[in-house]
């Protein structure tokens, strides 16, 4: 776990150096780090250390999408976080906010997602749960969903825009 964390730190430093040199461009001028891998979920302290480094390097986005967080993806993606995990996420979100870093929480519906209205309702419910906890920036990844097509993904994202994002003034 420490080795993976060290690699992520090195990548953050490299990305920051490239961004500052002008060798990398982003459509909206934002640069961030994605916590999205297999191999164990970082501790809260590891995240806070990464956020400190991001802040020091001018990285302004922290995307929370670890593949081993069962509440992000996998069989428990629709379930609410237990209170201890909620407290940890709130601490990370506040830490990001205090340092001017956007916290982006992501969900990855699992392979049981079948594009039905019921499953879409569960996805909206999870986004609402996370909004209630204070998340204001979201990502939705469909990489593990079978039978996905560009059309299905695009239609679902448009529905999320209409049914969730456009109804919130702070998302």
């Amino acid at each position: 776990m420490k080795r993976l964390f060290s690699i992520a730190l090195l990548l953050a430093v490299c990305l920051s150096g490239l961004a500052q040199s002008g060798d990398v461009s982003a459509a909206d001028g934002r640069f961030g780090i994605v916590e999205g891998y297999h191999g164990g979920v970082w501790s809260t302290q590891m995240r806070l250390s990464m956020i400190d480094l991001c802040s020091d390097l001018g990285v302004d986005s922290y995307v929370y999408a670890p593949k081993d967080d069962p509440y992000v993806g996998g069989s428990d993606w629709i379930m609410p976080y237990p209170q201890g995990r909620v407290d940890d996420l709130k601490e990370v979100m506040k830490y990001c906010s205090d340092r001017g870093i956007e916290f982006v929480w992501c969900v990855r519906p699992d392979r049981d997602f079948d594009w039905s209205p019921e499953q879409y309702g569960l996805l909206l419910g999870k986004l609402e749960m996370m909004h209630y906890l204070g998340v204001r920036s979201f990502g939705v990844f469909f990489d593990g969903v079978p039978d996905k097509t560009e059309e299905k993904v695009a239609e679902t994202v448009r529905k999320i825009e209409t049914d969730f994002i456009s109804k919130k003034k702070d998302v």
Side-chain angles (χ1 to χ4, degrees), residues 96-118:
C96 283
S97 178
D98 290 348
R99 284 150 187 78
I101 295 173
E102 179 181 19
F103 177 86
V104 182
W105 182 86
C106 300
V107 64
R108 243 181 41 261
D110 74 350
R111 59 183 153 273
D112 293 335
F113 190 83
D114 62 8
W115 306 98
S116 67
E118 294 78 20

Side-chain angles (χ1 to χ4, degrees), residues 1 5 35 37 41-52 62 64 83-96 103:
M1 180 61 72
F5 184 72
E35 180 187 346
Y37 54 84
V41 178
W42 290 351
S43 69
T44 299
Q45 189 54 50
M46 292 171 96
R47 286 190 186 98
L48 300 181
S49 295
M50 180 61 73
I51 293 164
D52 279 336
Y62 184 87
Y64 180 85
Q83 190 59 49
R85 295 290 303 278
V86 167
D87 296 341
D88 291 344
L89 279 175
K90 285 184 174 183
E91 181 179 1
V92 170
M93 287 187 289
K94 181 173 181 348
Y95 208 75
C96 283
F103 177 86

Side-chain angles (χ1 to χ4, degrees), residues 25-44:
S25 63
D28 65 359
R30 299 186 65 88
F31 297 94
I33 188 160
V34 177
E35 180 187 346
Y37 54 84
H38 290 285
V41 178
W42 290 351
S43 69
T44 299

Side-chain angles (χ1 to χ4, degrees), residues 5-39:
F5 184 72
S6 297
I7 291 168
L9 286 171
L10 178 61
L11 287 173
V13 171
C14 291
L15 286 174
S16 176
L18 287 172
Q20 292 171 6
S21 72
D23 291 341
V24 174
S25 63
D28 65 359
R30 299 186 65 88
F31 297 94
I33 188 160
V34 177
E35 180 187 346
Y37 54 84
H38 290 285

Side-chain angles (χ1 to χ4, degrees), residues 1 14 17 19 31-32 34-36 56-57 69 73 75 86 119-120 124 132 141 146 154 165 169-170:
M1 180 61 72
C14 291
F31 297 94
V34 177
E35 180 187 346
D56 292 345
L57 297 173
D69 180 336
S75 60
V86 167
Q119 289 287 302
Y120 175 72
L124 279 185
Y132 177 79
F141 301 151
I165 296 171
K169 303 298 181 208
D170 56 356

